[in-house]
Amino acid sequence: TMHGVTRPVELKFAIVEAAVGAEPRELSLAIQASSTLDREAFGIGGRRDRPPFVGNEATLEIQLLAHPATGAGEAAP
């Protein structure tokens, strides 16, 4: 949702790195995704009578590093 307009966005995730340590809880997974958004599809755009100082496309990039959750009462590694 941007500017009060909700549109679906397709994200294609790719595994960048997966690592397993000596202990079962020493697992990590790095993933990333990106997509290009059209600002006008969300009602965000410049006036037609002025030169465009900002392009209509915006790039959304996500990078995530995930580890297993710790159980209740366990300390994080």
Side-chain angles (χ1 to χ4, degrees), residues 14-19 27-31 64-68:
I15 296 173
V16 178
E17 182 178 343
L27 170 70
S28 66
L29 183 65
I31 60 174
L64 176 70
L65 179 59
H67 299 279

Side-chain angles (χ1 to χ4, degrees), residues 52-67:
F53 294 103
V54 177
N56 285 334
E57 292 184 349
T59 302
L60 171 67
E61 294 182 359
I62 298 172
Q63 296 180 350
L64 176 70
L65 179 59
H67 299 279

Side-chain angles (χ1 to χ4, degrees), residues 3-60:
H3 198 63
V5 177
T6 301
R7 298 271 188 256
V9 175
E10 182 176 318
L11 294 171
K12 295 180 181 180
F13 284 89
I15 296 173
V16 178
E17 182 178 343
V20 179
E23 297 293 323
R25 290 218 171 269
E26 294 177 352
L27 170 70
S28 66
L29 183 65
I31 60 174
Q32 66 183 21
S34 66
S35 185
T36 301
L37 307 176
D38 180 357
R39 293 179 334 110
E40 287 187 341
F42 292 89
I44 303 171
R47 291 177 36 186
R48 298 282 182 212
D49 62 339
R50 294 184 182 169
F53 294 103
V54 177
N56 285 334
E57 292 184 349
T59 302
L60 171 67

